[in-house]
Amino acid sequence: MLRHMFRIAALLLSAGLATVASADQPSGQRSVEDVQKIVREYLLKNPEVIFEAVQRHRENQQRLQADRDRAAVKQHAKELLADPDSFVGGNPDGDVTLVEFFDYRCGYCKRFASVLANIMKQDPKLRVVYKEFPVLGEDSFRAAQAALAARGQGYYLEFHEALMKANGPLTDAAIMTVARSVGLDVERLKRDMETPKVLNIISNNRRLATALQVDGTPTLVVGDLIVRGAVPIRDLTAMIAQARAKGS
């Protein structure tokens, strides 16, 4: 924030210099040093001007980002809402869809998992689309592969939830331990993890994330909003209600 304040102050100073210098140019009575002193004294006496400028700048940037997000969500609606390779939880026929980009090694994702579970219990009309988006290294990638491969055995959701609850490093051995605990055939899982389809799903999710300017986890898409980072249950409930009111 301080960096923004200094930048705004510099812009105000430059604007003041340009305005006053332009006004006085014919007579040449004021020097640059005089103008600098005037603007500096004004800012020191009225520091709220800088805070107001910073706040206005932030609000403008947020509006611009929201506009870009809405356009991106509209453009990529099919990949977000109707991708046959993405697991759908909650109510498959729900009236509002929440899309989550997540990483199994992301601590925020793990904490958010319980928030999302509570939301689904409270809202029987919520549809949830899961997008594996491994961004935290090779272990994340292997966990995403395993989760996607588990769909072939009909254990995706159980495995997903177990991985989110798992503590410690998600090594290959740890992933297979979790897989056995939910009833998966581990040898088949290992084979299925390496199939082109599984690898293509992760590649497609990454391309979609890039198109949406998503570079971290968790990231949610609710209606036409993109929410970067975990959110409290109260805020998420409000977003879902807003999307429902819009008919999203």
Side-chain angles (χ1 to χ4, degrees), residues 13 16-17 20 30-40:
L13 182 59
L17 285 169
V20 178
R30 277 202 180 117
S31 68
V32 171
E33 290 77 12
D34 290 335
V35 177
Q36 287 177 331
K37 183 178 180 181
I38 293 169
V39 175
R40 182 176 183 277

Side-chain angles (χ1 to χ4, degrees), residues 53-181:
V54 170
Q55 181 62 29
R56 181 72 60 84
H57 175 71
R58 181 183 293 116
E59 291 171 355
N60 287 339
Q61 290 301 111
Q62 289 173 344
R63 279 194 292 269
L64 288 172
Q65 185 63 59
D67 289 342
R68 288 193 291 266
D69 287 348
R70 280 191 287 270
V73 169
K74 183 177 180 180
Q75 181 180 353
H76 298 281
K78 184 176 180 180
E79 300 105 299
L80 287 165
L81 306 178
D83 177 12
D85 292 325
S86 293
F87 184 83
V88 176
N91 182 347
D93 299 316
D95 60 351
V96 172
T97 297
L98 179 153
V99 182
E100 182 189 8
F101 290 82
F102 60 88
D103 183 310
Y104 286 110
R105 292 183 61 231
C106 167
Y108 293 106
C109 297
K110 288 179 176 292
R111 287 192 285 274
F112 178 71
S114 62
V115 173
L116 183 56
N118 287 333
I119 286 282
M120 286 192 286
K121 288 179 183 177
Q122 296 173 15
D123 190 341
K125 294 183 178 181
L126 182 65
R127 179 175 181 264
V128 178
V129 175
Y130 297 86
K131 295 282 188 183
E132 280 77 7
F133 183 45
V135 293
L136 297 176
E138 183 62 24
D139 288 349
S140 294
F141 188 84
R142 296 290 289 170
Q145 284 180 273
L148 291 166
R151 285 190 69 180
Q153 298 184 47
Y155 280 94
Y156 177 88
L157 190 57
E158 294 87 345
F159 191 36
H160 169 85
E161 292 175 347
L163 285 174
M164 281 299 182
K165 293 175 182 176
N167 295 316
L170 277 179
T171 61
D172 273 13
I175 292 170
M176 294 308 147
T177 296
V178 175
R180 288 189 191 91
S181 74

